Amino acid sequence: MGENVADKQAEINSYIESNRQRFIEELRELVRQPSISSQNRGVQECAELIRKRMAEVGIEASVMPTEGQPVVFGQYKSPNAKKTLLIYNHYDVQPVEPLDAWEHPPFEAKMIGDKIVGRGSTDSKGNLLSHIKAVEAFVKGGVEVPLNLKFIFDGEEEIGSPSLPGFVEKHRELLAADGALSFDGGFDASGRPRIQLGSSGLLYIELRGRGPKRDLHSGRARLVDNPAWKLVWALNSMKGDDERILIDGFYDDILPPSEEEIKLLQDSGWDDKAHLEEFGVERFLLGVTGMAASERLLFQPTCNISGFKAGHLGEGMKTIVPSEAIVKIDFRLVHKQSPEDILAKTKRHLSRHGFSDIEVKCLGFIEPSRTPFRSKIAQTVIAAARENYQMEPMIKPTGEASGRQGPWLASRLGIEGAASGIGPPSWRGHAPNEFITVGHFIEGIKYATRIWNKYAQV
């Protein structure tokens, strides 16, 4: 193959465009297959469908068991390749509730103009399929794949990938690579492609307070502890109205952003108006704007109430002292904070403040990760995004979300890693009426091929 890189890319793009409609129908087929990991609905069937699609384009693939949902692992060995890239995606999806808020059935993959509406369309089946179709574009388009490729498609990302650390440790040799890349989610709210060089950590806990053995008439509130109030007071001890987290030692291990990371934030083109519109709010917390808002989003930890349940929540009156109250809390953690350490500190804090009778249960955790901006994989993805989309990407030195994806895999395997996403801005992540546009999906396939070509040349 004597043609230059630009010619090869043109051939690949031509193949993608000529098979555009078939690729769209294959994505719709994948979206129609439910794969809700938290409800164990359709996950095994979806894994097998993906394995089949991988095999069709020449990827050696298998469905591998874990302690939970299976991993779909695949390899494509290119005869003249000198580098290996490990690609992560997930095929599980969020639950669809509230069902009545969907304008179309969540697994119908309804076409509305240029949109495919359905659960998992962007998160993350469109992202996942873009890599499989990228392999096809090389192989059937007559262009040699420039890299050895390994694929790890996770069936548990939406529940925190609890089985992935064990899978990675067990198969370290199988997963050996020069770099790791993940696609998930979509463009930044500003309309530019997003590149992340890390992710936040996560600690998700449940606090349970107990009161009387059974619900009581609320007149007895004069004499009996109310577990809902107990949790309210405990929560009040954990965070002040200035958003400062009051758990002793909570901020001790935080590594502040470097000068280079601050420069990336300054150059990122953060858009207050676009993000306010995306979030559906009139102002940011504490009134921060501009760079202060961007830095807070990426480099400050959180203590967030995800859910609170106690007593009567139905229609009308029911005057009771509830027997039990439950609150679910998630902490987003930043670089160098340890979920296990924060869990221990939270338990000590509650005990020290008189809440030792509150039960603390850890429901899941993810370690924070970070990849240097100057790494080869980061520079490759940035350059590929510029070329593919003809605009400057939004480069985030870390992410506000958490996940055991490309940067996390890289940190575990001692390699370099980056993350991006091909979906549209405001794709309604984790919400009813999730969608992807045809244009973002097709351009995303081209984006993947361009990354591979560039990484092979570094």
Side-chain angles (χ1 to χ4, degrees):
M1 295 187 182
E3 67 265 62
N4 61 35
V5 173
D7 290 338
K8 289 180 180 180
Q9 191 65 55
E11 288 182 36
I12 292 165
N13 289 356
S14 176
Y15 180 88
I16 293 168
E17 287 296 339
S18 64
N19 289 275
R20 183 185 187 97
Q21 194 56 45
R22 177 169 59 85
F23 289 176
I24 292 166
E25 290 308 313
E26 288 187 19
L27 175 55
R28 294 181 70 198
E29 178 192 30
L30 190 56
V31 172
R32 289 189 191 107
Q33 172 57 58
S35 52
I36 306 173
S37 51
S38 63
Q39 299 171 354
N40 195 26
R41 180 184 173 193
V43 182
Q44 294 279 346
E45 294 85 348
C46 190
E48 182 54 37
L49 175 59
I50 290 167
R51 186 207 61 77
K52 179 183 175 183
R53 287 282 171 256
M54 295 169 78
E56 288 171 351
V57 302
I59 301 170
E60 181 186 333
S62 60
V63 178
M64 300 180 67
T66 72
E67 293 181 359
Q69 302 293 356
V71 162
V72 185
F73 178 77
Q75 294 189 77
Y76 185 91
K77 296 178 182 178
S78 191
N80 299 307
K82 296 180 180 179
K83 284 196 182 74
T84 300
L85 184 63
L86 176 63
I87 295 168
Y88 172 97
N89 279 105
H90 68 91
Y91 64 92
D92 67 321
V93 302
Q94 285 281 330
V96 298
E97 289 78 11
L99 191 58
D100 59 2
W102 285 82
E103 296 172 9
H104 307 279
F107 295 112
E108 184 179 340
K110 179 80 170 178
M111 289 293 304
I112 307 294
D114 71 337
K115 294 179 180 179
I116 303 170
V117 179
R119 175 60 85 227
S121 52
T122 286
D123 187 16
S124 189
K125 291 176 179 177
N127 279 280
L128 182 153
L129 192 62
S130 70
H131 288 291
I132 299 176
K133 296 296 101 180
V135 173
E136 178 181 332
F138 275 102
V139 174
K140 297 187 178 181
V143 179
E144 187 174 299
V145 180
L147 296 164
N148 293 316
L149 298 168
K150 296 182 179 182
F151 302 89
I152 181 168
F153 295 154
D154 182 7
E156 296 185 326
E157 196 273 348
E158 298 294 8
I159 55 172
S161 302
S163 303
L164 195 59
F167 181 88
V168 171
E169 289 306 310
K170 183 177 179 180
H171 299 288
R172 290 183 72 89
E173 188 174 333
L174 181 67
L175 300 174
D178 297 287
L181 172 69
S182 58
F183 277 7
D184 197 8
F187 279 31
D188 182 70
S190 63
R192 293 184 294 155
R194 166 190 52 80
I195 297 166
Q196 287 182 196
L197 307 180
S199 63
S200 295
L202 172 71
L203 171 63
Y204 199 111
I205 64 173
E206 177 183 280
L207 304 184
R208 187 181 295 260
R210 302 185 190 277
K213 291 181 180 180
R214 61 185 181 278
D215 292 352
L216 296 178
H217 188 291
S218 66
R220 280 74 180 268
R222 299 176 177 90
L223 296 176
V224 178
D225 281 338
N226 185 314
W229 275 115
K230 189 180 297 182
L231 288 187
V232 168
W233 293 324
L235 293 168
N236 196 48
S237 79
M238 293 169 66
K239 191 168 83 166
D241 58 10
D242 61 355
E243 292 296 315
R244 180 82 179 170
I245 298 166
L246 305 175
I247 297 169
D248 290 344
F250 186 86
Y251 295 94
D252 286 355
D253 298 322
I254 292 177
L255 188 66
S258 65
E259 290 184 11
E260 185 169 61
E261 289 168 335
I262 292 295
K263 180 69 164 55
L264 284 176
L265 290 186
Q266 293 170 340
D267 295 342
S268 69
W270 171 268
D271 186 332
D272 281 344
K273 182 180 178 182
H275 285 86
L276 286 168
E277 289 178 357
E278 181 187 20
F279 300 162
V281 297
E282 295 182 357
R283 65 186 288 275
F284 296 130
L285 199 63
L286 303 178
V288 295
T289 60
M291 264 292 294
S294 180
E295 185 175 352
R296 181 173 180 81
L297 180 65
L298 298 184
F299 291 107
Q300 289 294 318
T302 68
C303 176
N304 175 63
I305 298 173
S306 294
F308 200 130
K309 180 181 179 181
H312 175 64
L313 298 174
E315 187 177 350
M317 293 174 57
K318 186 180 182 184
T319 52
I320 60 168
V321 176
S323 61
E324 185 176 76
I326 301 169
V327 64
K328 295 193 175 185
I329 299 171
D330 67 81
F331 297 92
R332 297 289 170 171
L333 307 178
V334 296
H335 198 40
K336 295 301 183 182
Q337 284 186 301
S338 159
E340 295 95 330
D341 177 63
I342 297 301
L343 176 61
K345 286 174 176 174
T346 301
K347 289 179 177 179
R348 284 198 297 271
H349 170 90
L350 291 171
S351 180
R352 192 177 296 124
H353 285 78
F355 302 108
S356 57
D357 57 336
I358 289 178
E359 179 185 338
V360 182
K361 184 178 180 180
C362 177
L363 300 181
F365 65 89
I366 300 170
E367 307 80 0
S369 61
R370 194 83 62 85
T371 291
F373 170 66
R374 299 293 172 187
S375 65
K376 293 174 183 176
I377 188 69
Q379 294 300 309
T380 296
V381 178
I382 291 166
R386 284 176 181 145
E387 281 190 15
N388 198 71
Y389 297 108
Q390 295 294 295
M391 65 177 76
E392 282 296 311
M394 163 72 83
I395 304 167
K396 303 174 81 169
T398 189
E400 67 270 25
S402 308
R404 291 181 167 130
Q405 300 199 9
W408 180 88
L409 271 175
S411 65
R412 278 290 170 121
L413 296 171
I415 57 178
E416 55 185 24
S420 193
I422 69 167
S426 303
W427 50 272
R428 298 176 183 166
H430 293 199
N433 305 307
E434 178 186 345
F435 71 95
I436 193 169
T437 71
V438 167
H440 282 89
F441 173 54
I442 296 299
E443 286 303 311
I445 302 170
K446 298 174 186 176
Y447 180 33
T449 64
R450 204 177 288 269
I451 292 171
W452 301 354
N453 273 329
K454 287 188 171 298
Y455 194 55
Q457 297 173 59
V458 175

